[in-house]
């Protein structure tokens, strides 16, 4: 079964920092990779799909990239509203839709 | 923008069947896939399954055959039934527009379901 492993699992950073979250797939998944932001008590928000395409409304400080089976989400300059948990997701059907375990981003 | 709203029992007993409904408004229910995702307390997101507006379904094999999903286009509703629940099924359940090869663009606010005797 496909596994998506995110690292780090948690991260502390300051406003203005540049941060990168990585998602490693256990097999090739082409460009079927999305990133979501999730805050407590809210529903997840789609940020990026197809590895690097920003969903309308996603601030340009967010970007996505890939190198083979390793995918990255980068926030170029952290803003206070960016502190949340981030999930990568394989969104095609076969193997089944899979989420990474999440990366919690806290204020330092 | 499409708005989704989950509704369900809140509390059910072990071995019962969980039934949730997602009502869609502000957009079309046809020509889309609709997914169910859950988040157990303190854990990450787990894909449950998706249903196409035509009625075809796909569910996470890890849930075996406990999952049933359907669409009622006349009521603009998507339904989820999860049988033989245990405490491990306690979670916030979300419906979302997407699946079937597409990311999940619109999400409901979630519905907490607690399984307890």
């Amino acid at each position: 079964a496909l596994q998506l492993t995110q690292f780090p699992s948690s991260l502390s950073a300051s406003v203005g920092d540049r941060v990168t979250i990585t998602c490693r797939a256990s097999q090739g998944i082409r460009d079927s990779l999305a990133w979501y932001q999730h805050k407590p008590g809210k529903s997840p928000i789609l940020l990026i799909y197809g590895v690097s395409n920003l969903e309308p409304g996603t601030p340009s400080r967010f970007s996505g990239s890939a190198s083979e089976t390793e995918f990255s989400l980068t926030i170029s300059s952290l803003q206070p509203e960016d502190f949340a948990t981030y999930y990568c997701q394989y969104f095609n059907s076969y193997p089944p839709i899979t989420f990474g375990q999440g990366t919690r981003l806290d204020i330092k | 923008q499409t708005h989704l709203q989950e509704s369900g029992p809140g509390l059910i007993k072990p071995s019962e069947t969980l039934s949730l409904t997602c009502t869609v408004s502000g957009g079309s229910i046809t020509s889309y896939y609709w997914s169910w995702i859950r988040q157990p307390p303190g854990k990450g997101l787990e894909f449950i399954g998706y249903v196409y507006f035509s009625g075809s379904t796909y569910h996470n094999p890890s849930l075996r055959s406990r999952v049933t999903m359907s669409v009622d286009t006349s009521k603009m509703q998507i339904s989820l039934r999860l049988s033989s629940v245990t405490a491990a099924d306690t979670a916030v359940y979300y419906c979302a527009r997407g699946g079937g090869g597409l990311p999940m663009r619109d999400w409901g606010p979630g519905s907490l379901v607690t399984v307890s005797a």
Side-chain angles (χ1 to χ4, degrees), chain A residues 83-101:
Chain A
F83 293 95
T85 299
Y86 292 85
Y87 292 92
C88 60
Q89 180 208 38
Y90 167 74
F91 58 82
N92 220 324
S93 296
Y94 300 99
I97 292 172
T98 302
F99 289 93
Q101 82 277 16

Side-chain angles (χ1 to χ4, degrees), chain A residues 72-84:
Chain A
S72 296
L73 171 70
T74 298
I75 309 172
S76 60
S77 178
L78 273 174
Q79 298 302 301
E81 60 269 28
D82 299 337
F83 293 95

Side-chain angles (χ1 to χ4, degrees), chain A residues 15-97:
Chain A
V15 172
D17 284 353
R18 178 185 179 91
V19 300
T20 296
I21 298 167
T22 301
C23 175
R24 181 174 293 153
S26 59
Q27 62 190 76
I29 58 172
R30 296 194 174 184
D31 62 351
S32 299
L33 195 285
W35 290 96
Y36 298 83
Q37 179 190 70
H38 194 195
K39 296 181 179 180
K42 303 287 187 180
S43 48
I45 296 172
L46 174 65
L47 297 174
I48 290 173
Y49 63 95
V51 175
S52 59
N53 300 291
L54 265 61
E55 180 69 1
T58 300
S60 58
R61 61 182 179 274
F62 290 88
S63 64
S65 63
S67 176
E68 296 186 355
T69 59
E70 196 162 287
F71 302 84
S72 296
L73 171 70
T74 298
I75 309 172
S76 60
S77 178
L78 273 174
Q79 298 302 301
E81 60 269 28
D82 299 337
F83 293 95
T85 299
Y86 292 85
Y87 292 92
C88 60
Q89 180 208 38
Y90 167 74
F91 58 82
N92 220 324
S93 296
Y94 300 99
I97 292 172

